[in-house]
């Protein structure tokens, strides 16, 4: 009998131990993350982040384009910068290796580009496909890329409101001296390469390298000078040739890239922007109003509430609401307007370049109205610091201030 009681106690203790272990396993995943049933929006940390990022890279086949191989030497004859990305005679192009992305791209830019990819080379057909990534996936991939990047030494250059014209001319002279204009366009939209009868290029085509007119909006300022000084170290995939420069010249060239003109001067003011959005978006994008009329929901429109998903809290009935932006799936602020950005979220949805196309379930905006909104955004989306006694918040890049 004593032995039977002892056996029962042992079995009870073992069972209790298994219950405890099972409970712990149910509450955490093998990587140490909360189980998706409990917290699907949790962002991994530390080594769990690296593992999650690597898994997403495999799932989305990112390394099909973002390879790490590169030619030992470049072909003797090449007519555009895209051939720098090819490995021997393989037909596919090589995009920059993933471990280098966050060395040269600001973290906020990476988040926005993963959601709203666009062409960086104006006359090249290549761009990253829109993979319709979730906000959680975008956040994990962004943090993963940032964790892979090497620290960049040096002091960052700055984009100045009123750059010194004499310094601009010095930078332009260096830009021409070192042949940068042989590959890079600087915002001249009418420039076209000369081609032979068979379509081949007569000379290297500047339009195939990234346009530097808006480089300040997508490059990390400390990386730019370092990459100009030592391209083999900071962008070995690109084939950009090293140049023997004086110690001060890389920083001056980087400053020039961040401050070169001409700067786009918008002809559209914020009053016109408000009028367009109120007229075209007022069916869905308005906030709560306890004094709403009979045709208006006092709790807010579909673009504010979570009618077809999570609440976005986007109010386009006022300038303040437009610049405040929306809320992403993780509850963080998401910008609606990003000054100067070609892939500003408002434009991408209105132009039909990102689902859902807007206005949702209605006819697209007239082309002339989209052109006005684009002109305003590409000109820096100027807004008054104070409007009707209310301070207007600047646009928030996705993830900034949101954890």
């Amino acid at each position: 009998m004593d032995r039977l009681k002892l056996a029962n106690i042992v079995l009870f203790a073992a069972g209790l131990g298994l219950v405890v272990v099972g409970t712990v396993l149910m509450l955490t995943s093998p990587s140490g993350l909360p189980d998706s049933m409990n917290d699907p929006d949790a962002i991994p940390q530390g080594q769990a982040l690296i593992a999650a990022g690597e898994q997403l890279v495999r799932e989305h086949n990112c390394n099909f384009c973002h390879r790490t191989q590169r030619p030992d030497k470049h072909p003797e004859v090449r007519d555009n910068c895209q051939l720098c990305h090819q490995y021997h005679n393989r037909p596919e192009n090589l995009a920059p290796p993933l471990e280098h992305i966050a060395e040269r791209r600001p973290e906020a830019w990476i988040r926005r580009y993963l959601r709203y990819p666009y062409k960086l080379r104006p006359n090249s057909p290549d761009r990253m496909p829109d993979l319709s990534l979730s906000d959680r996936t975008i956040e994990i991939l962004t943090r993963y890329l940032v964790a892979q990047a090497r620290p960049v030494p040096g002091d960052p250059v700055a984009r100045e409101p009123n750059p010194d014209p004499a310094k601009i001319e010095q930078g332009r002279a260096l830009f021409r001296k070192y042949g940068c204009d042989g590959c890079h366009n600087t915002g001249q939209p009418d420039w076209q390469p000369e081609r032979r009868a068979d379509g081949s290029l007569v000379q290297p085509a500047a339009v195939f390298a990234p346009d530097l007119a808006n480089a300040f909006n997508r490059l990390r300022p400390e990386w730019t000078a370092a990459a100009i000084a030592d391209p083999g170290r900071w962008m070995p995939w690109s084939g950009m040739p090293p140049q023997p420069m004086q110690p001060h010249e890389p920083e001056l060239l980087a400053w020039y890239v961040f401050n070169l003109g001409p700067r786009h001067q918008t002809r559209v003011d914020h009053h016109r922007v408000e009028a367009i959005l109120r007229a075209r978006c007022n069916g869905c994008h308005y906030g709560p109003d306890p004094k709403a009329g009979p045709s208006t929901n006092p709790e807010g429109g579909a673009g504010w509430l979570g009618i077809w998903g999570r609440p976005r809290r986007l109010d386009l009935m006022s300038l303040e609401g437009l610049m405040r932006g929306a809320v992403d799936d993780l509850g963080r602020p998401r910008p609606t307007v990003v000054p100067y950005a070609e892939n500003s979220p408002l434009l991408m949805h209105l132009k039909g370049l990102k689902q859902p196309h807007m206005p949702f379930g209605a006819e697209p905006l007239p082309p002339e109205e989209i052109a006005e909104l684009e002109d305003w955004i590409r000109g820096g989306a100027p807004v008054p610091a104070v409007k009707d006694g209310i301070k207007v918040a600047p646009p928030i890049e996705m993830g900034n201030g949101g954890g």
Side-chain angles (χ1 to χ4, degrees):
M1 180 68 73
D2 291 339
R3 289 182 180 179
L4 183 58
K5 290 181 178 179
L6 179 61
N8 289 340
I9 292 173
V10 171
L11 288 174
F12 176 78
L16 182 62
L18 289 174
V19 169
V20 172
V21 172
T23 302
V24 172
L25 291 176
M26 288 176 64
L27 292 176
T28 60
S29 69
S31 63
L33 301 180
D35 188 88
S36 60
M37 293 180 63
N38 298 316
D39 190 358
D41 294 336
I43 304 299
Q45 305 292 329
Q47 288 302 314
L49 170 66
I50 302 301
E54 291 175 347
Q55 180 179 348
L56 288 171
V57 167
R58 289 192 297 270
E59 288 179 358
H60 295 287
N61 295 307
C62 302
N63 278 331
F64 182 81
C65 294
H66 292 278
R67 299 178 185 270
T68 56
Q69 307 107 309
R70 61 187 178 91
D72 294 330
K73 62 178 182 179
H74 294 292
E76 293 183 3
V77 178
R78 56 191 176 97
D79 60 5
N80 64 60
C81 295
Q82 289 292 69
L83 286 183
C84 295
H85 296 295
Q86 291 185 357
Y87 186 67
H88 295 304
N89 294 319
R90 289 197 314 222
E92 74 272 15
N93 293 330
L94 296 183
L98 293 176
E99 61 266 30
H100 292 291
I101 298 295
E103 293 169 3
R104 62 193 183 116
R105 304 293 194 203
E107 185 174 340
W109 185 94
I110 295 173
R111 285 188 180 91
R112 179 159 38 91
Y113 185 77
L114 288 172
R115 176 168 291 281
Y116 301 103
Y118 67 105
K119 292 198 305 180
L120 297 178
R121 296 171 176 84
N123 290 335
S124 169
D126 296 330
R127 75 171 177 90
M128 193 182 88
D130 182 3
L131 300 176
S132 298
L133 303 175
S134 70
D135 290 323
R136 182 176 183 272
T137 296
I138 289 173
E139 184 62 23
I140 292 175
L141 283 173
T142 300
R143 295 191 188 187
Y144 166 74
L145 293 175
V146 170
Q148 302 301 304
R150 300 167 294 179
V152 182
D155 298 325
V157 296
R159 181 169 171 85
E160 301 174 5
N162 300 295
D164 182 358
K167 193 174 180 180
I168 287 287
E169 287 305 316
Q170 293 173 6
R172 183 177 290 113
L174 281 180
F175 197 78
R176 292 170 178 167
K177 172 184 175 181
Y178 290 115
C180 307
D181 55 352
C183 289
H184 292 282
N185 190 14
T186 55
Q188 298 87 356
D190 298 328
W191 191 93
Q192 294 292 332
E194 183 182 354
R195 296 182 179 271
R196 301 182 182 90
D198 62 359
S200 61
L201 297 167
V202 174
Q203 58 184 1
V207 289
F208 285 103
D211 189 339
L212 297 180
N214 288 315
F216 70 91
N217 206 35
R218 65 175 185 269
L219 292 181
R220 287 180 58 187
E222 66 273 28
W223 176 90
T224 307
I228 292 172
D230 191 356
R233 178 185 180 189
W234 294 105
M235 46 179 175
W237 67 89
S238 73
M240 178 172 160
Q243 298 281 5
M245 296 184 181
Q246 297 297 318
H248 71 282
E249 290 181 334
E251 184 175 346
L252 177 55
L253 271 172
W255 181 90
Y256 171 71
V257 167
F258 270 68
N259 287 278
L260 61 80
R263 300 184 176 213
H264 180 82
Q265 298 294 325
T266 179
R267 300 180 299 275
V268 181
D269 67 13
H270 64 277
H271 295 294
R272 176 58 180 158
V273 171
E274 283 183 293
I276 294 174
L277 296 179
R278 282 178 176 172
R280 303 295 183 181
C281 309
N282 62 2
C284 291
H285 291 286
Y286 59 88
D289 183 1
K291 299 180 181 179
S295 61
T296 306
N297 184 356
E299 297 179 356
W304 180 273
L305 302 171
I307 301 301
W308 295 291
R310 301 198 183 195
R312 294 302 176 203
R313 301 289 190 262
L314 179 57
D315 181 1
L316 297 181
M317 298 299 290
S318 68
L319 183 64
E320 293 80 13
L322 170 66
M323 303 311 287
R324 189 181 303 116
V327 176
D328 71 7
D329 289 345
L330 302 178
R332 305 165 310 161
R334 175 193 292 172
T336 301
V337 169
V338 179
Y340 305 104
E342 296 176 51
N343 64 340
S344 191
L346 180 68
L347 290 179
M348 297 294 282
H349 288 285
L350 289 178
K351 295 169 75 172
L353 299 176
K354 180 70 179 181
Q355 293 284 357
H357 296 177
M358 290 293 170
F360 189 65
E363 292 296 318
L365 267 65
E368 58 272 17
E369 292 185 1
I370 294 179
E372 287 181 282
L373 294 174
E374 183 167 14
D375 183 82
W376 176 71
I377 291 174
R378 296 293 297 274
V383 297
V386 176
K387 179 176 181 291
D388 298 331
I390 301 174
K391 184 177 180 181
V392 178
I396 304 172
E397 273 285 19
M398 190 182 303
N400 286 5

